[in-house]
Amino acid sequence: MSEASKAPGASEIRAAIVGCGVIGRTHSAAIREFPEVAITALVDVVAEASEALAAKIEAQGDPRPAVFPTLAAALAAAPVDVVIIATPSGLHIQQALEALDAGKHVVIEKPLDVDLGKADEILAAAKAAEAKGLVATVISQHRFDPASRVVDEARRAGRFGTLTSAVASVSWWRSQGYYDSGAWRGTWAMDGGGAIMNQGVHTVDLLLWFLGRPLEISAKTALLAHEGVEVEDTAVATVTFESGALAVLHATTAAYPGLTVRLQVMGSKGSAVIDNDDLAYFHASDAADPSESSAMGILGGGNQAAVELAKYPDDTVEALDPTVYPAGHVRQYRDIIAAIREGRPAGVTVRDAVTALATVRALYVSATLGQPVLIADVIAGKYNNVEVRTGGAPSHPEAPTGSHREEVSA
């Protein structure tokens, strides 16, 4: 948008950002791309954080938002239509319920939360909000990337034939200093997990979006390259889907100096590869008989990625600095704002986020107990009392291990 100030108007959408750290600033940058949205309130228990963001917004030529220490204070004193939750993950559902109860639209940064204890409550609240024309959504910005949209539309149209398998890998690096930078980082209570929950949840979401309902997961986790951290820096898992498709899921923050996020989706009539949000490879036979197409796969099938991406000529932005132009968040906000205007559900629902969170929880439960876990059992609460940990079941399960002996028999 232009650098001109946003003039208040009757049709503007007034937003409160809760949490003014890195991700809160990302949401602020994304919102600035939409003249019809004004940030009217900032909430943070650390006054310096909210004041700094307020000053930055004002310096950009927009009205300075009011700052508050709590969401309740902001809702009581500021004009707010939508609450954007960008706090540590363990606070998300609690704050979302508070905002929905106040009759506000809600945007929750990923993940939905760190545990499923309030899943039924947030699902019910989101359903009630939807009936009132309110939007409740969770950030899954990579669903709106051009590459993801190409793959989704192709699989919906059956261009890949029978989806048979997928390989999803998040190969990142996080220094020891990253985990030491905040007391909540690397903790089960507030981070909710490590490489899978914090860094890999978007890739989990895309995997489920493409392959459908997950049934079972079997996993291992480990802490291999960091110290003083409760959660895993490396995880691997296999996932079985309702369709029968199989997937391999891998995530690490111990891949120095940091590699890419890569998702391969494979089917009987076509396959695609998304690498670092780009469509690296796409081929669909679009034939009644797959034998009519090349049988050479990636060597002989031909890469149709450029042709497919050409369907999105206006979506070629690059997010070199996500706090300056967070392309993925901007794309998702287009959908969110349209949903608010039109009184319809957003493209990403709370139920979508619950399924992704349940899959991550199931992965941790599987790694803790050393056995496959059904996703439905996790959603039903069968493993609610399992205290997940990094590294898996004891080497000698017959030996007493305190509360963990009870976990294995849960």
Side-chain angles (χ1 to χ4, degrees):
M1 62 170 253
S2 70
E3 292 297 315
S5 298
K6 297 177 183 176
S11 63
E12 75 178 0
I13 298 171
R14 300 162 301 183
I17 297 178
V18 187
C20 299
V22 172
I23 199 63
R25 294 193 295 272
T26 296
H27 281 271
S28 174
I31 287 171
R32 195 159 192 274
E33 294 297 310
F34 301 93
E36 64 269 40
V37 182
I39 300 172
T40 55
L42 298 174
V43 179
D44 204 299
V45 294
V46 179
E48 292 82 359
S50 54
E51 291 288 356
L53 183 52
K56 180 177 181 179
I57 291 170
E58 186 177 35
Q60 291 173 328
D62 297 327
R64 185 185 181 96
V67 299
F68 302 92
T70 66
L71 175 56
L75 293 176
V80 173
D81 301 307
V82 57
V83 174
I84 298 160
I85 298 171
T87 49
S89 304
L91 301 174
H92 286 181
I93 286 182
Q94 169 192 329
Q95 293 171 332
L97 290 170
E98 184 178 355
L100 289 172
D101 187 58
K104 310 300 180 184
H105 304 287
V106 172
V107 178
I108 307 169
E109 180 54 50
K110 65 84 182 171
L112 175 65
D113 207 285
V114 299
D115 80 62
L116 286 165
K118 292 187 176 180
D120 289 342
E121 193 173 355
I122 189 65
L123 283 170
K127 184 176 180 180
E130 181 181 328
K132 299 174 184 176
L134 294 174
V135 169
T137 187
V138 180
I139 293 295
S140 290
Q141 75 268 27
H142 293 294
R143 288 195 184 195
F144 298 86
D145 293 342
S148 301
R149 291 165 66 187
V150 165
V151 175
D152 178 58
E153 290 179 8
R155 64 99 181 169
R156 286 177 183 273
R159 297 182 65 198
F160 294 144
T162 299
L163 287 177
T164 57
S165 61
V167 178
S169 178
V170 179
S171 303
W172 284 359
W173 169 255
R174 289 292 184 268
S175 68
Q176 185 65 41
Y178 165 83
Y179 289 103
D180 295 342
S181 66
W184 64 277
R185 289 194 185 279
T187 67
W188 289 111
M190 284 291 113
D191 235 357
I196 285 288
M197 174 67 86
N198 203 287
Q199 283 76 30
V201 67
H202 284 303
T203 306
V204 171
D205 177 68
L206 287 181
L207 182 65
L208 304 187
W209 195 38
F210 294 151
L211 265 65
R213 182 168 175 258
L215 291 184
E216 184 181 82
I217 192 165
S218 181
K220 297 282 188 180
T221 61
L223 180 66
L224 301 172
H226 301 91
E227 298 177 351
V229 177
E230 296 176 359
V231 299
E232 86 289 352
D233 62 14
T234 304
V236 294
T238 56
V239 187
T240 304
F241 289 83
E242 187 175 46
S243 66
L246 303 174
V248 176
L249 176 61
H250 158 263
T252 185
T253 55
Y256 184 84
L259 304 177
T260 63
V261 177
R262 188 174 177 89
L263 178 55
Q264 298 177 199
V265 177
M266 293 156 280
S268 61
K269 293 185 179 181
S271 301
V273 178
I274 298 174
D275 193 279
N276 256 17
D277 306 333
D278 293 326
L279 190 62
Y281 180 82
F282 181 101
H283 185 84
S285 68
D286 288 332
D289 183 347
S291 65
E292 295 174 14
S293 182
S294 168
M296 293 298 292
I298 201 164
L299 296 178
N303 190 349
Q304 305 161 353
V307 174
E308 297 298 321
L309 286 171
K311 298 175 181 178
Y312 304 94
D314 299 324
D315 229 343
T316 57
V317 295
E318 294 183 1
L320 300 179
D321 182 350
T323 63
V324 174
Y325 190 88
H329 281 71
V330 170
R331 294 185 186 110
Q332 185 163 357
Y333 266 110
R334 289 177 192 156
D335 172 71
I336 293 169
I337 292 168
I340 291 173
R341 294 294 195 204
E342 298 165 13
R344 63 166 173 82
V348 180
T349 67
V350 169
R351 183 167 292 282
D352 292 332
V354 167
T355 303
L357 179 60
T359 302
V360 172
R361 169 69 178 174
L363 182 150
Y364 289 140
V365 171
S366 172
T368 298
L369 302 183
Q371 64 188 46
V373 168
L374 296 175
I375 310 296
D377 285 346
V378 172
I379 294 175
K382 178 178 178 179
Y383 298 103
N384 281 357
N385 293 327
V386 172
E387 182 181 347
V388 295
R389 62 184 172 192
T390 303
S395 300
H396 303 287
E398 69 278 8
T401 55
S403 62
H404 292 291
R405 282 300 296 170
E406 297 177 6
E407 291 166 13
V408 174
S409 62

Coordinates of all heavy atoms in Angstrom, one line a residue, residues 228-278:
G228 N 20.0 -28.0 27.6 CA 19.1 -27.2 28.4 C 17.7 -27.0 27.8 O 17.1 -26.0 28.1
V229 N 17.4 -27.9 26.9 CA 16.1 -27.8 26.2 C 15.2 -29.0 26.5 O 15.8 -30.1 26.5 CB 16.3 -27.7 24.7 CG1 15.0 -27.6 23.9 CG2 17.1 -26.4 24.3
E230 N 14.0 -28.8 26.8 CA 13.1 -30.0 27.1 C 12.6 -30.7 25.9 O 12.4 -31.9 25.9 CB 11.8 -29.5 27.8 CG 12.1 -28.8 29.2 CD 10.8 -28.3 29.8 OE1 9.8 -28.4 29.2 OE2 10.9 -27.7 30.9
V231 N 12.5 -30.0 24.8 CA 11.8 -30.6 23.6 C 12.9 -31.1 22.6 O 14.1 -30.9 22.7 CB 11.0 -29.5 22.9 CG1 9.9 -29.0 23.9 CG2 11.8 -28.3 22.4
E232 N 12.3 -31.7 21.5 CA 13.2 -32.4 20.5 C 13.8 -31.3 19.5 O 13.1 -30.3 19.2 CB 12.4 -33.4 19.8 CG 11.6 -33.0 18.6 CD 10.4 -32.1 18.9 OE1 10.0 -32.0 20.1 OE2 9.8 -31.6 17.9
D233 N 15.0 -31.6 19.0 CA 15.5 -30.9 17.9 C 15.5 -31.7 16.6 O 15.9 -31.3 15.6 CB 16.9 -30.3 18.2 CG 18.0 -31.3 18.5 OD1 17.8 -32.5 18.2 OD2 19.0 -30.9 18.9
T234 N 15.1 -33.0 16.8 CA 15.0 -33.9 15.6 C 13.8 -34.9 15.8 O 13.7 -35.4 16.9 CB 16.3 -34.7 15.5 OG1 17.4 -33.8 15.3 CG2 16.2 -35.6 14.2
A235 N 13.0 -35.1 14.8 CA 11.9 -36.0 14.9 C 11.7 -36.7 13.5 O 11.9 -36.0 12.5 CB 10.6 -35.3 15.3
V236 N 11.3 -37.9 13.5 CA 10.9 -38.6 12.3 C 9.7 -39.4 12.6 O 9.4 -39.9 13.7 CB 12.0 -39.6 11.8 CG1 13.3 -38.8 11.3 CG2 12.4 -40.6 12.9
A237 N 8.8 -39.6 11.6 CA 7.6 -40.3 11.8 C 7.1 -40.9 10.4 O 7.4 -40.4 9.4 CB 6.5 -39.4 12.4
T238 N 6.3 -41.9 10.5 CA 5.5 -42.4 9.4 C 4.0 -42.2 9.7 O 3.6 -42.4 10.8 CB 5.8 -43.9 9.1 OG1 5.5 -44.7 10.3 CG2 7.2 -44.1 8.7
V239 N 3.3 -41.8 8.7 CA 1.8 -41.5 8.9 C 1.0 -42.3 7.9 O 1.4 -42.3 6.7 CB 1.6 -40.0 8.6 CG1 0.1 -39.6 9.0 CG2 2.5 -39.1 9.4
T240 N 0.0 -42.9 8.3 CA -1.0 -43.6 7.5 C -2.3 -42.8 7.4 O -2.8 -42.3 8.4 CB -1.3 -45.0 8.1 OG1 -0.1 -45.7 8.3 CG2 -2.2 -45.8 7.2
F241 N -2.8 -42.6 6.2 CA -4.0 -41.8 5.9 C -5.2 -42.7 5.6 O -5.1 -43.9 5.3 CB -3.7 -40.9 4.8 CG -2.7 -39.8 5.1 CD1 -1.4 -40.0 5.0 CD2 -3.2 -38.5 5.5 CE1 -0.5 -39.0 5.4 CE2 -2.3 -37.5 5.9 CZ -1.0 -37.7 5.8
E242 N -6.4 -42.1 5.8 CA -7.6 -42.8 5.6 C -7.7 -43.4 4.2 O -8.3 -44.5 4.0 CB -8.8 -41.8 5.8 CG -10.1 -42.5 5.8 CD -11.2 -41.5 6.1 OE1 -11.2 -40.4 5.6 OE2 -12.1 -41.8 6.9
S243 N -7.1 -42.7 3.2 CA -7.1 -43.2 1.8 C -6.2 -44.4 1.6 O -6.3 -45.1 0.6 CB -6.6 -42.1 0.9 OG -5.3 -41.8 1.1
G244 N -5.3 -44.7 2.6 CA -4.3 -45.7 2.4 C -3.0 -45.2 2.1 O -2.0 -45.9 2.1
A245 N -2.9 -43.9 1.8 CA -1.6 -43.3 1.4 C -0.7 -43.3 2.6 O -1.1 -43.3 3.8 CB -1.8 -41.8 1.0
L246 N 0.6 -43.3 2.4 CA 1.6 -43.4 3.4 C 2.5 -42.1 3.3 O 2.8 -41.7 2.2 CB 2.5 -44.6 3.3 CG 1.7 -46.0 3.4 CD1 2.7 -47.1 3.1 CD2 1.1 -46.1 4.8
A247 N 3.0 -41.6 4.4 CA 3.9 -40.5 4.3 C 5.0 -40.6 5.4 O 4.9 -41.2 6.4 CB 3.1 -39.2 4.6
V248 N 6.2 -40.0 5.0 CA 7.3 -39.9 5.9 C 7.4 -38.4 6.3 O 7.4 -37.5 5.5 CB 8.6 -40.3 5.3 CG1 9.8 -40.1 6.2 CG2 8.5 -41.8 4.9
L249 N 7.5 -38.2 7.6 CA 7.6 -36.8 8.2 C 8.9 -36.7 8.9 O 9.2 -37.5 9.8 CB 6.4 -36.5 9.1 CG 6.3 -35.2 9.8 CD1 6.3 -34.0 8.8 CD2 5.1 -35.1 10.7
H250 N 9.6 -35.6 8.6 CA 10.9 -35.4 9.3 C 11.1 -33.9 9.6 O 10.7 -33.0 8.8 CB 12.1 -35.8 8.4 CG 13.4 -35.2 8.7 ND1 13.9 -34.1 8.0 CD2 14.3 -35.5 9.6 CE1 15.0 -33.7 8.5 NE2 15.4 -34.6 9.4
A251 N 11.6 -33.6 10.8 CA 11.8 -32.2 11.1 C 13.0 -32.1 12.0 O 13.2 -32.9 12.9 CB 10.6 -31.5 11.8
T252 N 13.8 -31.1 11.8 CA 15.0 -30.9 12.7 C 15.4 -29.4 12.7 O 15.2 -28.7 11.8 CB 16.2 -31.8 12.2 OG1 17.3 -31.6 13.2 CG2 16.7 -31.4 10.8
T253 N 15.9 -29.0 13.9 CA 16.6 -27.7 14.0 C 18.1 -28.0 14.2 O 18.8 -27.1 14.7 CB 16.0 -26.9 15.1 OG1 16.1 -27.7 16.3 CG2 14.6 -26.5 14.9
A254 N 18.6 -29.1 13.8 CA 20.0 -29.5 13.9 C 20.6 -29.8 12.6 O 21.4 -30.7 12.5 CB 20.1 -30.7 14.9
A255 N 20.2 -29.1 11.5 CA 20.8 -29.4 10.2 C 21.6 -28.1 9.8 O 21.1 -27.3 9.0 CB 19.7 -29.6 9.2
Y256 N 22.8 -28.0 10.4 CA 23.6 -26.8 10.1 C 24.1 -26.8 8.6 O 24.4 -27.9 8.1 CB 24.8 -26.9 11.0 CG 25.7 -25.7 10.9 CD1 25.4 -24.5 11.6 CD2 26.8 -25.7 10.1 CE1 26.2 -23.4 11.5 CE2 27.6 -24.5 9.9 CZ 27.3 -23.4 10.6 OH 28.1 -22.3 10.5
P257 N 24.1 -25.7 8.0 CA 23.7 -24.3 8.4 C 22.3 -24.0 8.2 O 21.9 -22.8 8.3 CB 24.6 -23.5 7.5 CG 24.7 -24.2 6.2 CD 24.7 -25.7 6.6
G258 N 21.4 -25.0 7.9 CA 20.0 -24.8 7.6 C 19.8 -25.1 6.1 O 20.3 -24.5 5.2
L259 N 19.0 -26.1 5.9 CA 18.6 -26.5 4.5 C 17.2 -26.1 4.3 O 16.7 -25.1 4.9 CB 18.8 -28.0 4.4 CG 20.2 -28.5 4.7 CD1 20.3 -30.1 4.6 CD2 21.3 -27.9 3.9
T260 N 16.5 -26.8 3.4 CA 15.2 -26.3 2.9 C 14.1 -27.1 3.6 O 14.3 -28.2 4.1 CB 15.1 -26.4 1.4 OG1 15.2 -27.7 1.0 CG2 16.2 -25.5 0.7
V261 N 12.9 -26.6 3.4 CA 11.6 -27.3 3.7 C 11.2 -27.9 2.3 O 11.0 -27.2 1.3 CB 10.5 -26.4 4.2 CG1 9.3 -27.2 4.4 CG2 11.0 -25.8 5.5
R262 N 11.0 -29.2 2.3 CA 10.7 -29.9 1.0 C 9.6 -30.9 1.2 O 9.5 -31.7 2.2 CB 12.0 -30.7 0.6 CG 11.9 -31.3 -0.8 CD 13.2 -31.9 -1.2 NE 13.2 -32.6 -2.5 CZ 13.4 -32.0 -3.7 NH1 13.7 -30.7 -3.7 NH2 13.4 -32.7 -4.8
L263 N 8.6 -30.8 0.4 CA 7.4 -31.6 0.4 C 7.1 -32.3 -0.9 O 6.9 -31.6 -1.9 CB 6.2 -30.8 0.9 CG 4.8 -31.5 1.0 CD1 4.9 -32.8 1.8 CD2 3.8 -30.6 1.5
Q264 N 7.2 -33.6 -1.0 CA 7.0 -34.3 -2.2 C 5.7 -35.0 -2.1 O 5.4 -35.8 -1.1 CB 8.1 -35.4 -2.5 CG 9.5 -34.8 -2.6 CD 10.6 -35.8 -2.8 OE1 11.7 -35.6 -2.6 NE2 10.2 -37.1 -3.1
V265 N 4.8 -34.8 -3.1 CA 3.5 -35.5 -3.1 C 3.5 -36.4 -4.4 O 3.7 -35.9 -5.5 CB 2.3 -34.5 -3.2 CG1 1.0 -35.2 -3.3 CG2 2.4 -33.6 -2.0
M266 N 3.2 -37.7 -4.2 CA 3.3 -38.6 -5.3 C 2.0 -39.4 -5.6 O 1.4 -39.8 -4.6 CB 4.5 -39.5 -5.1 CG 5.8 -38.8 -5.1 SD 7.1 -39.5 -4.2 CE 6.7 -39.0 -2.5
G267 N 1.7 -39.6 -6.8 CA 0.5 -40.3 -7.2 C 0.6 -41.2 -8.4 O 1.7 -41.1 -9.0
S268 N -0.4 -41.9 -8.7 CA -0.3 -42.9 -9.9 C -0.3 -42.2 -11.2 O 0.0 -42.8 -12.2 CB -1.5 -43.8 -9.8 OG -2.8 -43.1 -9.9
K269 N -0.7 -40.9 -11.3 CA -0.7 -40.2 -12.6 C 0.0 -38.9 -12.5 O 0.0 -38.1 -13.5 CB -2.2 -39.9 -13.0 CG -3.0 -41.2 -13.4 CD -4.3 -40.8 -13.9 CE -5.1 -42.0 -14.3 NZ -6.5 -41.7 -14.8
G270 N 0.7 -38.6 -11.4 CA 1.4 -37.3 -11.3 C 2.1 -37.1 -10.0 O 1.7 -37.8 -9.0
S271 N 3.0 -36.2 -9.9 CA 3.7 -35.9 -8.7 C 4.1 -34.5 -8.7 O 4.2 -33.8 -9.7 CB 5.0 -36.8 -8.6 OG 4.6 -38.2 -8.6
A272 N 4.4 -34.0 -7.5 CA 4.9 -32.6 -7.4 C 5.9 -32.5 -6.2 O 5.8 -33.3 -5.3 CB 3.7 -31.7 -7.1
V273 N 6.8 -31.5 -6.3 CA 7.7 -31.2 -5.3 C 7.7 -29.7 -5.0 O 7.9 -28.9 -5.9 CB 9.2 -31.6 -5.7 CG1 10.2 -31.3 -4.6 CG2 9.2 -33.1 -6.1
I274 N 7.5 -29.4 -3.7 CA 7.5 -28.0 -3.3 C 8.8 -27.9 -2.4 O 9.0 -28.6 -1.5 CB 6.3 -27.6 -2.4 CG1 5.0 -27.7 -3.3 CG2 6.5 -26.2 -1.8 CD1 3.8 -27.5 -2.5
D275 N 9.7 -27.0 -2.8 CA 11.0 -26.8 -2.1 C 11.1 -25.4 -1.7 O 11.1 -24.5 -2.6 CB 12.1 -27.3 -3.0 CG 13.4 -27.4 -2.2 OD1 14.1 -26.4 -1.9 OD2 13.8 -28.5 -1.8
N276 N 11.1 -25.1 -0.4 CA 11.2 -23.7 0.1 C 10.1 -22.9 -0.5 O 10.4 -21.7 -0.9 CB 12.6 -23.1 -0.1 CG 13.4 -23.1 1.2 OD1 13.1 -23.8 2.1 ND2 14.4 -22.3 1.2
D277 N 8.9 -23.4 -0.5 CA 7.7 -22.7 -0.9 C 7.6 -22.5 -2.5 O 6.6 -21.9 -2.9 CB 7.5 -21.3 -0.3 CG 7.6 -21.4 1.2 OD1 7.2 -22.4 1.8 OD2 8.0 -20.4 1.9
D278 N 8.6 -23.0 -3.2 CA 8.6 -22.9 -4.6 C 8.2 -24.2 -5.2 O 8.5 -25.3 -4.7 CB 10.0 -22.5 -5.2 CG 10.4 -21.1 -4.8 OD1 9.5 -20.2 -4.7 OD2 11.6 -20.9 -4.6

